[in-house]
Amino acid sequence: MAVDGDADQNYKPQKKKTATDDEKRKKKIVPGSLMKALIRPGGGDATPADGHQVVYHCTIRTLDGVVVESTRSELGGKGTPTRHVLGKSKMILGLLEGIPTMLKGEIAIFKIKPELHYAEDHCPVSVSESFPKDAELHFEIELIDFSKVKARILNLLSIMYLCDTLSLKCSSLLELGETCRHPMAASMFLYLVKVYTKVQVISEDLGVLKKVIDEGQGWESPREPYEVKAWISAKTGDGKSILSRTDGEPFFFTFGKSEVPKGLEMAIGTMSRQEKAVIYVTSQYLTRCALLPIVEGIEEVHFDVELVHFIQVRDVLGDGRLIKRRIHDGRGEFPMDCPLQDSLLRVHYKGMIFNEEKTVFYDTKVDNHGQPLMFCSGEGLVPEGFEMCVRLMLPGEIALVTCPPDYAYDKFPRPSNVPEGAHIQWEIELVGFETPKDWTGMSFRSIMDDVEKTKGTGNRLFKEGKFELAKAKYEKAFGNPISVNVELCQWLTRLVLREFNHVNPQDDDEGKEFSNTRVRGTFLIATDLSSLFEWQNLLNLNVAACLLKMGECKKSIEACNKVIEANPGHVKALYRRGMAYMSAGDFEEARKDFNKMMSIDKSSEPNARAALLQLKQKEQVSKENIKCTAFLFYMDFINLIETVCLLLDKQEVERKARKQFKGLFDKKPGEIAEAGVDDKVDEISTKNFESDNLDDTDSIKEEEEVHQAAAPRHTGFLSQLWTSSRSLFTALGVQRCTIL
């Protein structure tokens, strides 16, 4: 009872969590007020959450497609993406709810009612009077990146600013820990909050700190293996200069090659162009290098750094074979303004054989009458390495690309003046590019014309053996998989091959607006949804064929399953899935699909029987391969047993020899002769005794011989294993084997 009484006394009721302002705002969301259309899928599985900083481009359009506002330069914006911290920054309600559903790199359109954007009661974000805030709008969002917001200051950093303010003497960051106990620290902390945002913690142990003096331009930072130019001067913690900034050229180094101290390189990796900063580096991050050859005895160094410029150098494949080096900067921000998706590209290029002479084999400015080369990316019209690098360029950028043969002309029609297996170097200038038209606002006929064209390109790539590119075209043609859902059926015709999902899935009146709509096209009359689904099934099967050619049998089966789930009697899907099962070695499932084909459609019987015959041959080959594998294992096992037996026999011979000459092996080299004399004396002295007992000894020997003859012969473990294994392999029928 006493225990219960104590427990009651110690019990404290938990306080209820109060709802935040954002949570209260989210209660205003009603079904149908916020909808999402996926334009381009993102990568990975992670999505942003509260506390994450999100970087995104935003374009606002009316339902008629008129651009109201945009961050993109080509649509009248500044070209700088928006940065917000979810849960901290002021945002409209629709994006506050919608952006956390996106993946990195994803592009989506949010259809937002007025009460969820700028017409919201007490909206924290204001707009101009001319903004149509009472209209329903489309917000096109490209989520470029998101990451956790790192704490930029601790009490230790606050004390550092306090020391600067009070002119206290602190020769190193190590002394700041003691200064934390300064009696004026608490009273000055609120004042220091205004300043601390310009200090960044680079290493968690506070061994590297950065204090921003002047903000830089853009948001791109150097990384391995970029080439960097920077003005750098340095002094110790007590103010002694150890590196002075001299006139002439800035210090040049390659990022990631340890040409500057480790801590300094870590901090420069967070800087942007033209940024100026003071970087504090303690001894554990001071490594010897060309910039600072002597680091012994130095506890701390303060570096004054101005990042003048850096050249983007990219190891595209990650193995050092395909290198893109930027020679001249382009227009816009990387990578937002690069032609990452399939586009119509215009480029000038000079092709050179990568040898000492740098022999030029083609130059568009000379050989193409000064006109740039025009091609559509994603269609296999240029070498793979060429296209991969152009996708990472900005308009107006000039880059030097070094490419290995397998990404140049080994798998592409080779010019006559290029030798086989040659490494290639291209000097490429991206003149400009045009992205494909958005389907928003397009008629059904225009959309399906575009789809048919994309499908035709995929068919061409499939025939050329470029299965990965063909798969991408087929996937683009039908967008993301359309799920057969009752709630979506009424308005699926209007959206065609694009999937609109509710952010909060509920029943609504969205489809009623178009319930009586009939869309007609020249080559496809969508009088009901079945024709659209059949179109999607065809594209899914094309994707499955590409995956099968690429050796991805499991994914091919999954693509076929999408068709079979919608139409269990789809003969072509059963045939393709059966072929995928057969390639994966699942012969029973393949046989079921082929037999089901014949039971559903008698006209498919010849194809099914041919597939079953091929299946039987593959099964036979598989069995022979299993026998061959078993036979090889059997031979390896026999060789192992023979080796072990030889080793044991050798050890047995040595043991018997040692036992026979036991006395000799126990003597020193000088004692061998004496040992032989002693043995002879002992032999003579015992001779008479043995002759006296001769009769008894003979009788004993006879008894021992009889006993040994009657006793069973002892067989070792390896001998038994040999017999058992031989019987096992004989039973399996692997005495002989034909290797195919």
Side-chain angles (χ1 to χ4, degrees):
M1 294 296 293
V3 174
D4 295 337
D6 293 340
D8 293 337
Q9 290 178 3
N10 294 331
Y11 174 78
K12 292 182 180 179
Q14 294 182 349
K15 293 183 180 179
K16 289 185 178 180
K17 246 185 172 180
T18 57
T20 63
D21 292 339
D22 289 339
E23 289 173 346
K24 293 177 182 177
R25 292 174 64 198
K26 290 180 180 179
K27 293 180 180 179
K28 302 176 185 178
I29 301 175
V30 296
S33 59
L34 176 61
M35 301 182 69
K36 175 183 175 183
L38 185 62
I39 306 301
R40 186 184 75 193
D45 299 321
T47 56
D50 283 351
H52 281 89
Q53 183 187 54
V54 291
V55 183
Y56 62 94
H57 268 303
C58 176
T59 300
I60 305 173
R61 295 185 177 92
T62 63
L63 298 187
D64 297 328
V66 179
V67 176
V68 179
E69 189 175 294
S70 179
T71 58
R72 296 183 181 274
S73 56
E74 62 268 22
L75 296 176
K78 296 181 179 179
T80 304
T82 303
R83 292 172 180 267
H84 279 144
V85 178
L86 296 179
K88 301 291 183 183
S89 302
K90 295 179 180 180
M91 299 176 64
I92 63 171
L93 182 54
L95 296 186
L96 184 65
E97 181 73 0
I99 288 179
T101 67
M102 300 180 68
L103 300 173
K104 184 176 179 180
E106 180 179 320
I107 299 179
I109 291 180
F110 293 94
K111 185 180 180 182
I112 305 179
K113 300 284 187 184
E115 59 269 21
L116 295 191
H117 55 75
Y118 299 99
E120 177 194 2
D121 293 336
H122 309 293
C123 180
V125 185
S126 59
V127 289
S128 62
E129 295 180 358
S130 61
F131 191 93
K133 62 181 182 180
D134 295 324
E136 191 174 12
L137 299 173
H138 283 165
F139 287 71
E140 180 183 323
I141 305 297
E142 179 184 6
L143 184 57
I144 299 166
D145 196 7
F146 65 90
S147 59
K148 289 185 178 179
V149 179
K150 296 182 179 178
R152 289 174 175 261
I153 189 168
L154 303 175
N155 288 339
L156 190 58
L157 302 180
S158 302
I159 297 305
M160 184 176 70
Y161 274 103
L162 179 62
C163 294
D164 292 341
T165 305
L166 300 179
S167 300
L168 298 177
K169 294 181 179 180
C170 290
S171 60
S172 69
L173 292 179
L174 299 177
E175 295 180 14
L176 292 177
E178 298 298 326
T179 316
C180 287
R181 303 188 183 92
H182 196 283
M184 295 186 65
S187 61
M188 293 296 293
F189 182 79
L190 293 177
Y191 166 76
L192 298 174
V193 170
K194 299 178 182 179
V195 191
Y196 82 93
T197 53
K198 284 195 173 183
V199 173
Q200 185 176 353
V201 178
I202 306 300
S203 64
E204 294 182 358
D205 58 357
L206 304 180
V208 183
L209 305 174
K210 185 183 78 169
K211 178 180 177 181
V212 179
I213 307 301
D214 291 330
E215 296 286 349
Q217 300 175 1
W219 63 278
E220 187 180 6
S221 300
R223 61 179 182 179
E224 188 176 352
Y226 283 22
E227 296 173 354
V228 182
K229 286 184 179 181
W231 294 109
I232 303 174
S233 61
K235 59 183 179 181
T236 59
D238 55 4
K240 181 181 177 182
S241 177
I242 55 175
L243 182 65
S244 59
R245 172 174 169 173
T246 58
D247 296 331
E249 289 293 322
F251 184 75
F252 175 86
F253 67 95
T254 301
F255 203 91
K257 291 194 175 181
S258 303
E259 296 176 4
V260 296
K262 178 182 177 182
L264 177 61
E265 188 172 72
M266 290 169 59
I268 290 177
T270 66
M271 298 176 68
S272 55
R273 286 184 177 88
Q274 307 301 321
E275 181 179 331
K276 294 181 181 179
V278 178
I279 299 170
Y280 303 87
V281 182
T282 53
S283 56
Q284 65 266 35
Y285 290 96
L286 290 174
T287 53
R288 296 180 64 180
C289 58
L291 180 68
L292 203 65
I294 301 175
V295 296
E296 290 79 6
I298 302 177
E299 293 294 330
E300 175 192 339
V301 176
H302 299 174
F303 292 94
D304 288 310
V305 180
E306 178 184 352
L307 185 56
V308 179
H309 184 64
F310 55 83
I311 298 173
Q312 188 188 80
V313 181
R314 288 197 168 271
D315 184 357
V316 180
L317 299 176
D319 56 6
R321 298 191 303 142
L322 181 58
I323 302 295
K324 171 186 170 290
R325 184 179 184 274
R326 182 185 290 174
I327 298 175
H328 184 272
D329 291 337
R331 302 181 299 274
E333 290 289 335
F334 179 88
M336 293 82 70
D337 297 314
C338 296
L340 298 176
Q341 56 183 329
D342 293 350
S343 309
L344 177 62
L345 303 170
R346 301 188 306 277
V347 299
H348 275 300
Y349 79 94
K350 181 193 294 184
M352 297 166 283
I353 300 172
F354 192 55
N355 52 21
E356 294 181 359
E357 296 80 14
K358 297 291 178 67
T359 308
V360 177
F361 60 85
Y362 191 83
D363 188 347
T364 54
K365 294 182 179 179
V366 177
D367 302 314
N368 201 33
H369 309 291
Q371 296 299 316
L373 172 69
M374 297 182 65
F375 67 96
C376 291
S377 55
E379 296 187 3
L381 300 176
V382 294
E384 187 176 359
F386 187 97
E387 182 173 319
M388 291 172 69
C389 293
V390 173
R391 285 178 181 265
L392 300 175
M393 295 178 67
L394 294 168
E397 178 183 336
I398 301 176
L400 190 66
V401 175
T402 305
C403 183
D406 52 330
Y407 281 82
Y409 293 108
D410 277 7
K411 301 177 182 178
F412 192 82
R414 182 166 44 87
S416 58
N417 50 352
V418 174
E420 186 178 355
H423 286 71
I424 302 299
Q425 194 170 70
W426 292 297
E427 184 180 301
I428 306 171
E429 177 187 358
L430 178 59
V431 179
F433 66 91
E434 296 176 12
T435 55
K437 293 180 181 179
D438 189 1
W439 286 352
T440 304
M442 292 175 62
S443 66
F444 181 78
R445 177 180 176 181
S446 301
I447 292 173
M448 296 311 295
D449 283 342
D450 192 25
V451 170
E452 180 67 23
K453 182 180 177 182
T454 304
K455 174 179 170 290
T457 304
N459 292 343
R460 175 180 63 81
L461 293 169
F462 186 89
K463 291 177 182 178
E464 293 175 359
K466 300 173 182 177
F467 305 116
E468 193 166 350
L469 291 176
K471 170 178 165 288
K473 288 298 178 184
Y474 293 138
E475 288 176 342
K476 180 184 176 183
F478 67 76
N480 292 293
I482 303 173
S483 59
V484 182
N485 190 304
V486 175
E487 290 114 20
L488 302 180
C489 285
Q490 291 181 331
W491 42 277
L492 184 59
T493 306
R494 173 178 175 263
L495 302 178
V496 193
L497 302 174
R498 185 178 301 158
E499 178 183 3
F500 267 79
N501 288 325
H502 293 275
V503 176
N504 295 306
Q506 301 280 346
D507 293 332
D508 59 31
D509 298 329
E510 174 66 17
K512 295 179 181 178
E513 187 177 355
F514 303 97
S515 59
N516 298 320
T517 302
R518 295 288 183 176
V519 184
R520 306 181 188 277
T522 55
F523 69 94
L524 178 65
I525 302 177
T527 55
D528 53 28
L529 294 176
S530 61
S531 55
L532 285 179
F533 292 150
E534 185 58 35
W535 181 259
Q536 182 194 2
N537 290 341
L538 176 63
L539 294 171
N540 264 320
L541 291 176
N542 287 353
V543 170
C546 293
L547 291 168
L548 187 58
K549 291 289 186 180
M550 294 162 61
E552 298 183 14
C553 301
K554 185 177 179 181
K555 291 183 179 180
S556 180
I557 292 168
E558 291 173 357
C560 294
N561 286 340
K562 293 175 184 177
V563 180
I564 294 172
E565 286 171 5
N567 184 3
H570 201 292
V571 174
K572 192 172 182 179
L574 289 169
Y575 176 78
R576 193 142 290 165
R577 189 175 70 173
M579 297 300 290
Y581 275 132
M582 184 164 59
S583 297
D586 195 343
F587 302 124
E588 287 302 320
E589 291 295 331
R591 185 177 286 105
K592 289 178 183 177
D593 281 345
F594 296 142
N595 288 330
K596 190 174 182 180
M597 279 176 59
M598 292 188 289
S599 63
I600 293 173
D601 186 3
K602 293 297 182 182
S603 63
S604 65
E605 187 171 343
N607 291 333
R609 291 197 178 281
L612 287 170
L613 180 61
Q614 186 180 353
L615 177 65
K616 185 177 180 181
Q617 293 172 350
K618 274 188 171 288
E619 281 184 303
Q620 186 64 30
V621 171
S622 179
K623 289 178 181 178
E624 292 293 336
N625 288 339
I626 292 173
K627 285 185 178 182
C628 290
T629 304
F631 177 74
L632 293 174
F633 172 75
Y634 168 70
M635 295 303 298
D636 289 341
F637 184 74
I638 289 176
N639 292 333
L640 176 64
I641 295 295
E642 289 178 349
T643 304
V644 172
C645 291
L646 289 174
L647 180 61
L648 291 178
D649 289 344
K650 183 179 179 181
Q651 292 177 350
E652 182 67 17
V653 170
E654 291 179 354
R655 186 183 63 81
K656 289 181 178 179
R658 185 172 292 277
K659 184 177 181 181
Q660 182 178 359
F661 301 102
K662 182 177 180 181
L664 295 180
F665 285 104
D666 293 339
K667 300 293 182 179
K668 295 180 181 179
E671 299 174 346
I672 293 178
E674 297 176 2
V677 173
D678 293 341
D679 291 342
K680 287 181 180 179
V681 172
D682 293 338
E683 186 178 347
I684 295 170
S685 62
T686 58
K687 189 174 182 180
N688 296 329
F689 177 78
E690 290 177 353
S691 61
D692 294 339
N693 299 285
L694 183 60
D695 297 335
D696 296 337
T697 303
D698 292 339
S699 62
I700 292 172
K701 285 183 178 180
E702 289 176 0
E703 290 178 2
E704 288 179 352
E705 289 173 0
V706 172
H707 178 70
Q708 290 176 358
R713 184 179 179 183
H714 176 70
T715 57
F717 169 73
L718 291 174
S719 301
Q720 296 175 6
L721 185 60
W722 173 277
T723 306
S724 302
S725 60
R726 180 179 289 275
S727 302
L728 174 63
F729 286 109
T730 302
L732 288 174
V734 292
Q735 298 96 325
R736 57 189 182 87
C737 180
T738 303
I739 300 178
L740 300 180

